[in-house]
Amino acid sequence: MGSYADDALFMSRNNIEYVELISDDGKSKVMVIPAWQGRVMTTSAAGDEGDSYGWINYSFIKKRQIDLQFNPVGGEERFWLGPEGGVFSLYFRQGEKQIYKNWKVPPVLDIEAFKIQSQSKNCICLTKEGCLTNACGTTFYLNIKRTISLLDINEFAASFNLEFPKDIKAVAYKSDNQITNIGNESWNKETGLISVWMLSMFNSTSATTVFIPYKQSRKGKIVNDEYFGKIPTDRLIVKNGIIYFKIDGCFRSKLGVPASRATNLCGSYDSSKGVLTILWCDIFEDSLNYMNGQWGIQNDPYYGDVINAYNDGPVEDGSVMGPFYEIETSSPGAELAPNESLTHTQKIIHIQGNDKQLDYIIKKLFKTDIYSIKTKFQ
């Protein structure tokens, strides 16, 4: 994890234009890149010299080449659409076997720029029109509108009945991600729906743990841990209402929490840097339309996850893209008539402080403590 200034300089030297959202005191900074679908590339809680929280794929960006399959530039919050796999997949063509060589990210989510509709010191709104066709042949004509707002740290804290110490470092922002059906046909479950899928890439360390609360009062599966093969018990612990997931960039694995069990909060903690990251998203817990993104044949294309977490690691040939880790959130599939819209909102805050400061926040929001998180995989 380098400084925000280092990453801003890297972008400039590689001719990547970015927009900054900056707090009045100059400490909170959010870097947005319109050409890369309005993604938040990285953030800082301490101005230019502060740590840069987003994972950036420097080696890929320096090549300055377009990959026709996927352009993994990184970034701590990017806009995608789901589902990834299954009968209604947006990433495989009709009739294709759902294996990696056939997987392709739609250009509107990968190489096409979003247009700035409006911009101020602490907010930017970007739009894009496009069309996508799913694996059963349904075409969706849509407008995408993405609004990113820098949040006042104290207002963010107050919304969770918290009070931050004056000397704590923090940066918080919100993204409202809207899709509108601009076609002539309604989107329906029989021919497939699409969902807003937000992916956040951060820097992994040997001291990072993702922790996700789940509803203990609900029945059904708590966690889906078989995306890339079952996660070993020394990397995944489910206990007392919290899912703990070891993040070290050394073992490729992914988990998901279904709508019946998910809350609208999840977090990660890097004890080596003293960084607590909190992600909040709106959820529709009674929706039956959450899309199943797993590749291949599915029992139910509408039994999907609200929150996912991914730990990077070596693939079959031993290579590693990162290492990094991801926290992902999804909206339900959008059953929209022409001109109707669905909006998926999420908030991300990075807080950097000492154990006592962070323990207070963790106890208030997650009903666990910093010691439990730090020692879970030691």
Side-chain angles (χ1 to χ4, degrees):
M1 188 189 298
S3 74
Y4 180 91
D6 290 340
D7 285 340
L9 181 61
F10 174 83
M11 293 299 164
S12 296
R13 286 178 171 172
N14 285 277
N15 300 316
I16 310 300
E17 294 184 3
Y18 59 86
V19 174
E20 290 182 307
L21 310 181
I22 307 173
S23 61
D24 290 340
D25 62 9
K27 292 181 179 179
S28 297
K29 305 190 86 169
V30 176
M31 180 191 293
V32 180
I33 300 184
W36 291 342
Q37 302 77 52
R39 80 185 61 201
V40 174
M41 204 64 195
T42 191
T43 56
S44 170
D48 286 340
E49 302 311 311
D51 285 329
S52 182
Y53 296 121
W55 179 77
I56 297 173
N57 193 345
Y58 305 109
S59 59
F60 183 86
I61 294 170
K62 283 191 288 187
K63 292 177 184 176
R64 304 191 188 190
Q65 297 175 347
I66 298 295
D67 188 306
L68 296 178
Q69 185 180 31
F70 171 43
N71 290 269
V73 295
E76 75 161 73
E77 194 208 52
R78 76 181 186 270
F79 177 94
W80 269 15
L81 294 167
E84 184 176 10
V87 66
F88 301 131
S89 169
L90 299 173
Y91 299 77
F92 294 97
R93 292 180 180 175
Q94 191 170 11
E96 284 184 334
K97 189 175 182 180
Q98 294 191 0
I99 56 177
Y100 184 75
K101 72 174 185 177
N102 295 330
W103 177 82
K104 185 179 186 297
V105 181
V108 70
L109 305 177
D110 190 42
I111 58 174
E112 297 181 9
F114 282 21
K115 181 181 179 181
I116 298 175
Q117 185 179 75
S118 62
Q119 181 183 342
S120 66
K121 186 177 181 180
N122 56 14
C123 183
I124 185 170
C125 177
L126 307 103
T127 61
K128 179 69 178 177
E129 287 191 359
C131 66
L132 304 95
T133 301
N134 70 15
C136 72
T138 305
T139 298
F140 302 89
Y141 298 92
L142 72 158
N143 175 272
I144 300 164
K145 182 179 179 182
R146 179 159 154 76
T147 305
I148 303 149
S149 308
L150 182 65
L151 300 177
D152 178 271
I153 294 163
N154 293 318
E155 288 181 10
F156 182 95
S159 68
F160 291 100
N161 293 317
L162 296 169
E163 189 172 330
F164 288 166
K166 290 183 179 180
D167 60 340
I168 207 164
K169 298 176 184 177
V171 58
Y173 63 96
K174 176 180 74 167
S175 71
D176 296 300
N177 305 280
Q178 181 188 78
I179 54 174
T180 301
N181 178 357
I182 59 172
N184 298 319
E185 304 290 333
S186 294
W187 301 347
N188 61 75
K189 294 181 71 170
E190 287 69 31
T191 55
L193 302 177
I194 58 176
S195 61
V196 176
W197 180 19
M198 305 303 301
L199 301 97
S200 295
M201 305 177 81
F202 305 115
N203 298 289
S204 60
T205 73
S206 60
T208 300
T209 300
V210 163
F211 53 100
I212 307 171
Y214 64 90
K215 292 175 181 172
Q216 293 178 278
S217 60
R218 294 292 186 94
K219 294 182 179 179
K221 196 170 190 176
I222 296 171
V223 59
N224 171 16
D225 67 337
E226 298 183 9
Y227 278 89
F228 302 117
K230 194 163 181 65
I231 303 173
T233 55
D234 61 346
R235 292 182 165 273
L236 175 64
I237 295 172
V238 180
K239 187 175 182 180
N240 298 331
I242 302 284
I243 300 160
Y244 299 92
F245 186 27
K246 183 176 182 178
I247 298 295
D248 56 5
C250 297
F251 187 85
R252 187 169 181 255
S253 46
K254 181 175 179 175
L255 60 80
V257 185
S260 60
R261 289 288 195 167
T263 74
N264 53 16
L265 276 176
C266 55
S268 66
Y269 176 60
D270 174 5
S271 61
S272 66
K273 283 275 191 177
V275 178
L276 171 66
T277 296
I278 299 168
L279 194 154
W280 174 97
C281 72
D282 52 3
I283 63 172
F284 300 81
E285 60 185 57
D286 295 322
S287 174
L288 301 177
N289 291 350
Y290 277 95
M291 308 302 293
N292 186 342
Q294 291 191 263
W295 295 13
I297 298 171
Q298 302 170 346
N299 292 327
D300 185 352
Y302 293 103
Y303 185 73
D305 300 321
V306 177
I307 293 172
N308 295 94
Y310 170 80
N311 180 38
D312 196 27
V315 294
E316 287 77 5
D317 64 1
S319 63
V320 181
M321 182 190 296
F324 59 86
Y325 71 99
E326 282 184 332
I327 298 176
E328 309 167 7
T329 71
S330 295
S331 77
E335 282 190 283
L336 302 179
N339 300 315
E340 286 187 340
S341 302
L342 175 145
T343 300
H344 180 62
T345 299
Q346 69 174 25
K347 300 175 184 177
I348 293 176
I349 183 168
H350 303 286
I351 310 165
Q352 203 159 356
N354 61 46
D355 279 7
K356 184 178 179 181
Q357 292 169 330
L358 300 181
D359 187 51
Y360 155 74
I361 296 167
I362 290 168
K363 284 177 176 175
K364 287 275 286 186
L365 291 183
F366 295 97
K367 305 299 186 282
T368 185
D369 59 83
I370 201 165
Y371 179 79
S372 296
I373 296 168
K374 286 174 69 172
T375 60
K376 196 61 67 178
F377 297 107
Q378 289 183 359

